[in-house]
């Protein structure tokens, strides 16, 4: 992890815009934040790692979840900041409105879900280790998480360190979040960027995948 300092100071998680996130996300945005090729890469990732018929948590969700259209899940819960976006999402069977930067603990019992995804949103977390540690608690042991991102974001709301890193550095950063959370294993970094004739086309797409080892005792 050559792009990362040995420790991440508080300043690493400051943002240009520190106004309440509820204010920034107050107006729904019914748009996609990556292009069709990158969306297809996310869908393919979910197809590969999410168990058929499982209970899925779409963390930092919005009006579209990018789940494989042919896949049936027993439950899909979306947790996000804009209720209108969540209620427009046809794949969600449950909706939770919560700001993870102020309340990083998830309102679900242990082992409530079989898989979880965070799509192009991890760069906005100011307390990522706490969020991911609790995510490991609410997944069944062995349940996968797929955290994907591209090179696009709302610059004023992405944490400071995100802006300083290369794509490889960002992969290392997300892996480090999971390592520091302490209840994830089998971590893999993936470059899923669409290519044509050996050349990248459109938006890049990267992901870190891991599996929960279950809940652990934490002091917050």
């Amino acid at each position: 992890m050559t792009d990362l300092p040995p420790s991440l100071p508080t300043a690493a998680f400051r943002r240009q815009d520190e106004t309440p996130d509820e204010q920034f996300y107050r107006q729904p945005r019914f748009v996609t934040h990556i292009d069709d090729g990158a969306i297809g890469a996310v869908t393919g990732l979910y197809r590969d790692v999410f168990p058929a018929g499982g209970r899925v948590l779409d963390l930092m969700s919005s009006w579209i979840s990018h789940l494989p259209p042919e896949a049936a899940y027993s439950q899909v819960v979306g947790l996000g900041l804009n209720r209108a976006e969540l209620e427009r999402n046809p794949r969600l069977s449950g909706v939770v409105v919560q700001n993870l930067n102020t309340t990083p603990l998830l309102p679900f019992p242990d082992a409530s879900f079989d898989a979880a995804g965070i799509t192009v949103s991890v760069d906005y977390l100011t307390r990522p280790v706490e969020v991911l540690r609790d995510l490991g608690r609410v997944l069944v042991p062995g349940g996968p998480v797929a955290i994907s991102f591209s090179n696009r974001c709302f610059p004023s709301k992405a944490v400071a360190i995100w802006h300083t890193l290369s794509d490889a550095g960002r992969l290392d950063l997300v892996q480090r979040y999971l390592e520091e959370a302490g209840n994830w294993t089998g971590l893999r970094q993936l470059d899923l960027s669409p290519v044509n004739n050996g050349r990248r086309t459109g938006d890049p797409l990267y992901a870190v995948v891991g599996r929960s080892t279950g809940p652990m005792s934490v002091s917050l």
Side-chain angles (χ1 to χ4, degrees):
M1 298 188 180
T2 55
D3 286 357
L4 297 180
S7 62
L8 298 178
T10 301
F13 299 100
R14 291 179 183 153
R15 300 167 297 172
Q16 297 170 20
D17 179 2
E18 292 286 9
T19 59
D21 294 331
E22 290 85 350
Q23 180 177 326
F24 183 84
Y25 294 101
R26 178 175 54 200
Q27 295 298 322
R29 296 176 173 88
F30 297 113
V31 297
T32 54
H33 301 286
I34 46 177
D35 65 19
D36 289 345
I39 289 173
V42 174
T43 300
L45 174 64
Y46 289 167
R47 183 179 288 115
D48 290 342
V49 303
F50 287 0
R55 301 162 297 169
V56 174
L57 176 58
D58 184 8
L59 206 58
M60 307 181 78
S61 182
S62 70
W63 69 285
I64 185 170
S65 292
H66 308 312
L67 295 168
E70 78 284 357
Y73 302 101
S74 61
Q75 181 185 32
V76 181
V77 174
L79 185 151
L81 266 172
N82 187 282
R83 182 174 294 277
E85 290 183 14
L86 296 171
E87 291 179 346
R88 177 79 70 88
N89 190 326
R91 297 303 299 268
L92 300 183
S93 54
V95 165
V96 176
V97 177
Q98 180 173 323
N99 182 348
L100 294 174
N101 289 335
T102 56
T103 308
L105 300 184
L106 302 171
F108 310 111
D110 293 0
S112 297
F113 297 97
D114 302 298
I118 303 176
T119 306
V120 295
S121 297
V122 68
D123 41 318
Y124 305 124
L125 288 175
T126 61
R127 301 164 72 178
V129 172
E130 293 173 70
V131 171
L132 293 174
R133 183 180 292 134
D134 207 48
L135 179 59
R137 175 188 65 81
V138 305
L139 289 187
V140 297
V145 64
I147 304 173
S148 59
F149 62 89
S150 187
N151 60 356
R152 297 168 60 179
C153 66
F154 297 121
S156 66
K157 280 298 185 181
V159 295
I161 192 171
W162 196 261
H163 295 294
T164 71
L165 297 174
S166 64
D167 293 332
R170 291 167 178 172
L171 280 165
D172 286 345
L173 179 66
V174 174
Q175 178 169 331
R176 181 159 165 180
Y177 290 163
L178 291 164
E179 290 171 345
E180 292 190 3
N183 55 346
W184 298 94
T185 190
L187 303 180
R188 294 183 291 139
Q189 298 184 6
L190 304 172
D191 183 348
L192 302 173
S193 305
V195 295
N196 184 22
N197 293 324
R199 299 183 63 181
R200 180 175 295 168
T201 61
D203 292 336
L205 198 286
Y206 307 98
V208 178
V209 176
R211 292 189 177 273
S212 170
T213 59
M216 59 183 298
S217 298
V218 296
S219 298
L220 299 178

